[in-house]
Amino acid sequence: MSTQPPRVLFVDHAAVMGGAEWSLLSLARRWRSERAVTLFEDGPFRQHLNEAEVPVDILPASAAVLGATRGGGAVADLLTVPGILALATRLARQARRFDVLYANSQKALVIGAVAALLARRPLVWHLRDIITADHFSPARRRLAVGLANRRAAYVICNSEATAEAFMEAGGDPNKVRVVYNGISPAPFDAVAEDEVAQVRMALGVGETPVIGVFSRLAQWKGQHVLLEALAYLSEAHALLVGDALFAEDRVYADALRAQAASLGVTERVHFLGFRDDVPVLMKACDVVVHTSVAPEPFGRVLVEGALAGRPVVATDAGGAPEVINDGETGHLVPPGDAQALADTLRTLLTDPIATPRIAEAGRQRALDHFSEEAMVRAVEATLLDER
Ligand code: UDP
Ligand code: GLC
């Protein structure tokens, strides 16, 4: 079928690279029809879009709109109303040149719902969060679900777990479509062995096992559990790749350093900050772990670890069990259980037969089930229904 997909204006409030932004970058880059991205602030995401030759526009949001947090309530929301209306009016002007307005975040949904109404365009929401009390205040949940039910043509969810939480919060099941993230293996396949050796040399780890976690530093991402697990493992090193992307997470980032010191593992912990060379860093690890202590909506890092050919250990919640078949294509451990994580890591690091087999099965599963091509085509097919 060569039906041309609709012209889409994607909207995202964020300008820093979280999983939602990496995923939208793939989608916009591979979209087979006219598309553009509008962001509410300037930052690295714009540069990535520029490099991918995706047209991008910045409509700066007021401080009140950008500052609204997931935990915020109805009173705080009232303060943002003038900012929302101003922004939505400008977005509506842009949206008239496209067939569909596509919100990639909750803030984009709020502004997008008003803009879509003004521009008389259908609205699609790509829901990438598990909307439960773990992550969102009741006011935020009511607002998002209410807007989606009333205004969105589709709610594209990044996992069944995300879809279930949306429906449990009152979301309309008829609007839900589950589309998994897809990730290209190319940047992982392009890494040369000597680049990996160089990274390990620079870290000064010799032959010692290295365990990597690749997430922004945030309490719910649970890096503290890896540090605790490290104390149970006599010699392994940990790579913490990622930074506090949002102001509210800086306290946690500092607490991690203090925790490493008090556990006496500082020499074995490498804080690398935010990096653009995740594939080579993953390949420099013996195991890639995911430690989220709240349910992870999807977890791109699980697929990436597998594409890097490394065994992946993830916490058993949210979308992770949809990505990993426990004991076959990776391992799942209970969230927040440092002892269980340490035990699983010890087994993986000492089993020369089962470990490469699991890594290879994980890689195959990533290639078969989480391809970029499949993701883009599934979203295109959903939007074609809309016309
Ligand atoms: N990532 C990155 N640099 C870092 C740490 C992480 O580019 O220093 C990337 C990582 O490779 C992944 C994304 O950020 O593609 C995180 O996405 P994920 O879905 O795992 O979690 P999110 O941050 O969206 O909750
Ligand atoms: C969100 C989620 C993450 C998911 C990403 C891409 O940022 O936290 O789990 O992988 O979106 O959909």
Side-chain angles (χ1 to χ4, degrees):
M1 282 241 309
S2 63
T3 324
Q4 182 83 351
R7 297 169 303 165
V8 179
L9 179 60
F10 296 101
V11 190
D12 195 323
H13 75 279
V16 287
M17 299 308 290
E21 289 68 39
W22 285 119
S23 179
L24 175 55
L25 181 63
S26 306
L27 200 53
R29 178 193 277 138
R30 297 184 66 136
W31 197 256
R32 288 178 305 177
S33 183
E34 199 183 325
R35 80 285 185 246
V37 176
T38 294
L39 305 176
F40 296 155
E41 61 180 333
D42 203 349
F45 193 15
R46 181 177 57 80
Q47 283 143 31
H48 283 285
L49 289 161
N50 283 341
E51 278 159 30
E53 296 181 8
V54 175
V56 49
D57 234 314
I58 314 288
L59 286 185
S62 70
V65 171
L66 283 178
T69 63
R70 294 170 162 200
V75 175
D77 287 343
L78 280 180
L79 298 174
T80 63
V81 168
I84 289 173
L85 290 177
L87 200 54
T89 308
R90 297 176 65 194
L91 185 61
R93 223 169 284 143
Q94 297 182 337
R96 289 194 186 94
R97 290 186 282 118
F98 297 85
D99 303 311
V100 175
L101 190 58
Y102 192 108
N104 196 55
S105 66
Q106 310 245 1
K107 280 179 194 166
L109 169 73
V110 176
I111 316 290
V114 181
L117 193 67
L118 294 172
R120 302 197 187 164
R121 292 292 181 275
L123 174 74
V124 171
W125 182 26
H126 201 136
L127 171 55
R128 301 172 180 281
D129 296 307
I130 291 193
I131 23 179
T132 57
D134 278 336
H135 291 285
F136 295 94
S137 71
R140 282 278 172 277
R141 274 180 283 160
R142 271 196 306 275
L143 177 67
V145 172
L147 281 176
N149 284 351
R150 274 182 213 98
R151 304 254 53 101
Y154 293 106
V155 178
I156 298 181
C157 297
N158 60 1
S159 66
E160 295 287 349
T162 294
E164 270 161 34
F166 172 70
M167 293 184 290
E168 251 166 55
D172 181 352
N174 295 317
K175 303 198 170 190
V176 169
R177 301 288 182 277
V178 173
V179 178
Y180 289 128
N181 279 278
I183 293 160
S184 165
F188 296 87
D189 295 345
V191 174
E193 280 307 316
D194 63 322
E195 291 175 74
V196 177
Q198 271 166 28
V199 168
R200 288 190 66 107
M201 200 140 68
L203 290 168
V205 290
E207 296 297 303
T208 317
V210 175
I211 300 152
V213 64
F214 295 77
S215 293
R216 57 202 154 91
L217 304 181
Q219 166 74 34
W220 77 273
K221 289 290 189 180
Q223 284 90 348
H224 59 281
V225 184
L226 175 60
L227 298 189
E228 230 178 284
L230 208 60
Y232 292 118
L233 301 165
S234 51
E235 55 164 14
H237 281 234
L239 286 197
L240 271 66
V241 181
D243 207 348
L245 284 193
F246 306 104
E248 66 264 25
D249 298 323
R250 295 215 181 102
V251 175
Y252 179 70
D254 293 340
L256 284 173
R257 287 184 172 81
Q259 184 198 4
S262 71
L263 287 169
V265 296
T266 302
E267 280 73 43
R268 294 194 277 136
V269 181
H270 308 258
F271 287 94
L272 300 194
F274 184 88
R275 298 280 294 245
D276 269 332
D277 54 349
V278 165
V280 68
L281 293 172
M282 281 191 171
K283 287 199 169 191
C285 295
D286 295 277
V287 183
V288 170
V289 296
H290 159 270
T291 51
S292 294
V293 291
E296 180 73 53
F298 177 84
R300 290 170 55 87
V301 290
L302 309 187
V303 175
E304 292 169 344
L307 290 174
R310 295 297 170 261
V312 176
V313 182
T315 53
D316 192 4
E322 296 169 54
V323 180
I324 289 177
N325 296 333
D326 189 24
E328 287 171 32
T329 65
H331 285 286
L332 297 173
V333 293
D337 189 339
Q339 181 79 65
L341 177 59
D343 290 346
T344 303
L345 287 169
R346 200 175 296 111
T347 311
L348 274 174
L349 292 170
T350 51
D351 190 336
I353 311 285
T355 302
R357 206 180 281 154
I358 286 201
E360 180 48 30
R363 201 181 77 90
Q364 203 51 56
R365 182 168 162 77
L367 293 172
D368 293 346
H369 293 269
F370 303 104
S371 79
E372 213 177 43
E373 177 76 9
M375 170 184 72
V376 180
R377 297 302 159 246
V379 175
E380 283 184 356
T382 303
L383 268 58
L384 275 167
D385 266 6
E386 175 46 42
R387 288 211 297 176

